[in-house]
Amino acid sequence: MSRKCEKDTQSNNSLLNYFAVLDNASQISSPIPSQIKIPELLEDDGSSESEGEMFKSDTHVRVLEGAGDWKAHRFSEEPFPTRKGEVRMRNFNDLKLNDEELNGVLSQRMIAWSISNLQRVPELNFYAYVKLSLEAKELTDITAIKKYHFIQYLDLSFNKLTTLQPLGDLPFLQYLYVSHNELENLLDFKAPFYLTYVNFSYNHVKKMPDLKDFWSLVHLDLCFNEIEKIEGIESLRFLSHLDLSHNKIQVVENISNLRLQTLLIRSNMIDTIEEEGKGVGISTLHLIRTIDLTYNNISSLRYFEGCYNLETLIIAANKISSLTDIYCLRSLIHLRSLDIRDNPICCLPYCMSMCYRTLEHLHELNGDEVTAKKRVMSKFTPNVEYTLRARLDRMELLLLEQMNQPMIGAHVVPCDFPPPPIILLAGPPGSRKKEIAFEFAMKNPKAVLGVSHTTRQRNAEEVDGRHYYFVDENKFDYLLKHGEFMTVSESYGFRYGISFRELAKATTENKVLVFYTDLSAALMLKLMNMCPKIVLALPKREKTHLNWLKEKYIYQFINRDLVLIRNCPACVREVKAVELSTEGSTVSSESTIASTDQNTSPASHDYLHSISGYIEGAGFICLHSRNCFTMGQKPSYGKELNEMPAGKFDIVNKESHVSQCKTCCIGYTDASTETTERCDKCVQCDTLAGSSVNSKRDVHKGISFNNSLDSFEKTESDWSDPLQDVIHKSVSDSYLLQVTNSSKSANITHRPLLSVLSKAQVHVNETDSAKQETIYMTATETFDMLQQEHLKVFLEDVMDNRQQLLELHNENIGLFRDVIFTDEIDDALRRLKNILKYTIKNHIISKEDFNIKEDPVYKKMIDKKLKKIGMLQNVHSKKN
Ligand SMILES: Nc1ncnc2c1ncn2[C@@H]1O[C@H](COP(=O)(O)OP(=O)(O)OP(=O)(O)O)[C@@H](O)[C@H]1O
């Protein structure tokens, strides 16, 4: 910018006056400081004259004695309005600047041409200009400003300043504008007495120093800097407006208990907000009215739960994803405007309805007006199914209690203590809620795990009494009839129950009980007014959940727990459908294999043929011909192999004899033919081999069939069944080769079975290892495909359950206290810890029984009476 330099010779009376005042003032050492004291903070009772005033008027007057009209600590968003009192002598543009001035050195000439607003100076009864606007003058040196002690309003924005040291000589400075400079140090000058307004935006501040000397700050604008941490403002008791937008802040901290009314921190990198607790956190800002946190990474609205005066919350473009967060805002009765645009939560179907229903005082949502019509139209479809089921279960329990002799225990109402605090992790199967619960209980001594009873079998890694109390059906029935259970529910064919005795853990140890159950058990506890804090626990992504399920249930299945899958309602439905469709056919394996488990549906045994075998250590595998298979420990499922029908193929059998068919060189087990060299089937197969399809002979290689299967072996068309096709294919030579190769790069679903198979000792034909390998691969592949088919049904069922729970959560806000993602363990544990803290804080601790003798009123009354009859002195004297 080039300006012509021209010397100003015009004198100005007012200006001279001003300098005279300055000269006088500079002679007086410390003209005001001795009289100005930092006033004590008084609550604003609304009686103050101006809106920004924060002192009681009498204090104000006392403090400002001698300050005349200056009203030093008054704050107004629009100070020195131009139309009022503005006396500007010159137009700065008419001033011709010299070289020095052009190089950014401030001169008195420049000041004289920019100063305005004549006001009376305190104490001296002189007048002085108090407003100086020097914006966009390319200034680098402002030393000349030092002499102008009475400046109250200073605008130095759009310059090239790197320091503000000279401002230390302006004790009356109240309004400071230094935006768009090159300042790296925030307020690096001696603090004026009443600096109230600072605009420090668009500079290069990286670190906030301790601003305790600038105690009088009311408005601090620090947007567009490079600040990484909020600090140094803890003692700014009058700070009402703080703008930290467009910085590099990650955590909202050190703002607790400030009297902020506006907090703007948009476009930072905030993912954490100091949590409430011990008087810290955003909830301690009791006067806060506006918060803007747009463009950050905040994932919850719970931080604002305690900001009771909040009117506007702008939190667009963050990571809020849960509808429970909306529920957290329900107590903010002053909340008029909420902006949650561009958050994942907005994609949820009930988001808007939830806001309309939960936030009754809202006038504006995401920039749109909230009308009565919108509120009325908001959809609400509560899912009553779950509640109904829980009610029915609860009713059943009550009936049982009535019909049998109930157990009278400490829990029976009316009882001495309130229900113990309970946190309950509810989620679909395979969601690893158990793992989270264990870890949580381990890390938090205030939490204790509640153990449920179950009729399901124990897994290898589970401990009786720690994971569950494993009981049989009879024991479970016994406990149920004797009123031991608070909840009972069935999940995939097994029964689960929470006993009253578990409550004792919480009451005697004074801890919070943590259970992991399904939702119906949780609802039953709710129906009993146990007030559990129900937390929905599930992996965030469906894919992860599916993987976990596969991993868990394939292993369980191989070990012992297939019945879980077999009894999955969807599977039972499917089996029944197959049963119906094959009615009348000759297929029946009821005679071949019968389960000793009474829980299993008979339907699932009906189609047991195709492949079966006994794998050492793994139990007895049976692959059904139609998308269904069973597997389990030998004692539970299936008869001894030697009881199996002739021709069953035996992969490994340590108990029964392994024979070898001389024709096909494959081992088989056949009780009736164990001593013969050739089984009946082989004879039969030879016949087939000689006559028609060669592959039928191959079939015998991999799989031998029981009698009943002959019926579908006879016609070619039977192979058109996709599953049979698989079996058919799996034994063709080329396919065998293919399978062998592909199995080498087997994917994860192969592994569990492969590992079991590889451990198995095979006594088939040791001389023909290639064939042996082929058998494995064939069986594995076939098994795997069938397994996948079957698992698919199970997985679909669980995924349905997952979906239902999520919908329920969306529709019934508040039902779940929180949602935790079990694949984000740290976050899940943190959330649970918060709930634990909340639960402990809000739990009504049982009070001791009322003791009349300790009651002060009673004592006083007795004393009075004793005194009246002259006995008190005697009592006291006796005591002495
Ligand atoms: N006390 C209970 N009342 C009702 N249902 C229960 C109870 N305890 C467990 N369940 C349910 O029984 C089913 C099987 O539980 P189990 O612990 O065997 O496996 P899981 O749920 O797959 O385990 P995880 O979720 O820890 O991976 C689950 O759906 C679970 O919610």
Side-chain angles (χ1 to χ4, degrees), residues 425-436 451-454 456-457 459 462 467-468 470 487-492 494-499 515-522 537 545 548-549 552-553 556 561 564 794 801 822:
L425 304 191
S431 50
R432 299 202 178 165
K433 49 190 179 297
K434 217 180 308 153
E435 280 174 34
I436 293 275
V451 184
S452 308
H453 284 71
T454 180
R456 84 152 163 77
Q457 283 170 315
N459 292 330
E462 288 176 332
H467 293 84
Y468 286 104
F470 295 97
T487 74
V488 268
S489 49
E490 200 174 306
S491 181
Y492 294 110
F494 296 107
R495 288 195 288 169
Y496 294 83
I498 299 178
S499 71
F515 283 107
Y516 41 89
T517 68
D518 66 358
L519 185 64
S520 72
H545 196 174
W548 286 358
L549 270 173
K552 177 171 180 177
Y553 284 95
Q556 282 207 348
D561 256 355
L564 245 171
F794 171 68
N801 185 232
T822 46

Side-chain angles (χ1 to χ4, degrees), residues 527-754:
L527 283 176
M528 290 177 73
N529 286 331
M530 293 297 228
C531 311
K533 306 276 168 307
I534 309 174
V535 179
L536 180 58
L538 74 186
K540 193 168 194 172
R541 279 159 286 273
E542 203 175 287
K543 206 172 156 198
T544 319
H545 196 174
L546 273 172
N547 283 344
W548 286 358
L549 270 173
K550 279 183 203 163
E551 223 172 90
K552 177 171 180 177
Y553 284 95
I554 286 176
Y555 273 106
Q556 282 207 348
F557 163 35
I558 282 176
N559 289 331
R560 71 191 72 202
D561 256 355
L562 178 70
V563 73
L564 245 171
I565 295 176
R566 196 175 47 187
N567 281 334
C568 142
C571 296
V572 173
R573 269 199 308 275
E574 187 197 334
V575 169
K576 281 197 173 141
V578 174
E579 192 179 22
L580 282 174
S581 68
T582 52
E583 223 169 275
S585 79
T586 54
V587 179
S588 165
S589 58
E590 196 88 289
S591 57
T592 60
I593 287 197
S595 168
T596 53
D597 189 337
Q598 286 154 14
N599 277 326
T600 48
S601 147
S604 56
H605 300 290
D606 284 355
Y607 303 98
L608 187 65
H609 28 245
S610 318
I611 305 173
S612 61
Y614 181 77
I615 299 180
E616 193 176 35
F620 170 40
I621 310 174
C622 299
L623 299 180
H624 288 232
S625 65
R626 284 174 197 258
N627 303 4
C628 223
F629 56 88
T630 55
M631 181 176 177
Q633 292 257 302
K634 195 171 61 160
S636 304
Y637 309 106
K639 294 179 176 181
E640 294 288 331
L641 277 172
N642 53 15
E643 288 176 49
M644 287 173 67
K648 274 273 175 230
F649 178 69
D650 180 20
I651 297 175
V652 177
N653 182 8
K654 63 177 178 184
E655 288 167 33
S656 56
H657 297 274
V658 179
S659 304
Q660 185 186 325
C661 169
K662 282 199 171 169
T663 317
C664 53
C665 303
I666 296 294
Y668 61 89
T669 299
D670 189 334
S672 59
T673 58
E674 63 187 35
T675 49
T676 62
E677 288 190 322
R678 249 167 135 226
C679 68
D680 290 346
K681 285 284 146 196
C682 287
V683 174
Q684 202 182 355
C685 117
D686 260 358
T687 328
L688 284 167
S691 59
S692 56
V693 198
N694 212 12
S695 60
K696 292 279 165 66
R697 187 184 165 131
D698 291 335
V699 166
H700 187 60
K701 276 185 186 176
I703 308 150
S704 60
F705 299 92
N706 63 24
N707 296 328
S708 58
L709 215 69
D710 292 347
S711 54
F712 80 77
E713 255 187 73
K714 280 171 190 160
T715 55
E716 262 316 301
S717 60
D718 282 315
W719 295 107
S720 59
D721 178 304
L723 199 72
Q724 290 165 12
D725 203 29
V726 167
I727 299 167
H728 175 60
K729 258 203 226 151
S730 68
V731 289
S732 74
D733 286 339
S734 60
Y735 191 73
L736 284 179
L737 194 68
Q738 199 188 319
V739 165
T740 316
N741 292 335
S742 67
S743 299
K744 282 182 184 142
S745 55
N747 63 25
I748 189 140
T749 51
H750 281 85
R751 264 181 229 138
L753 183 65
L754 280 176

Side-chain angles (χ1 to χ4, degrees), residues 8 28 55 113 135 236 367 637 712 756 776 822-823:
D8 180 42
I28 304 164
F55 303 116
W113 283 68
E135 61 269 44
L236 303 185
Y637 309 106
F712 80 77
V756 174
Y776 277 133
T822 46
D823 46 352

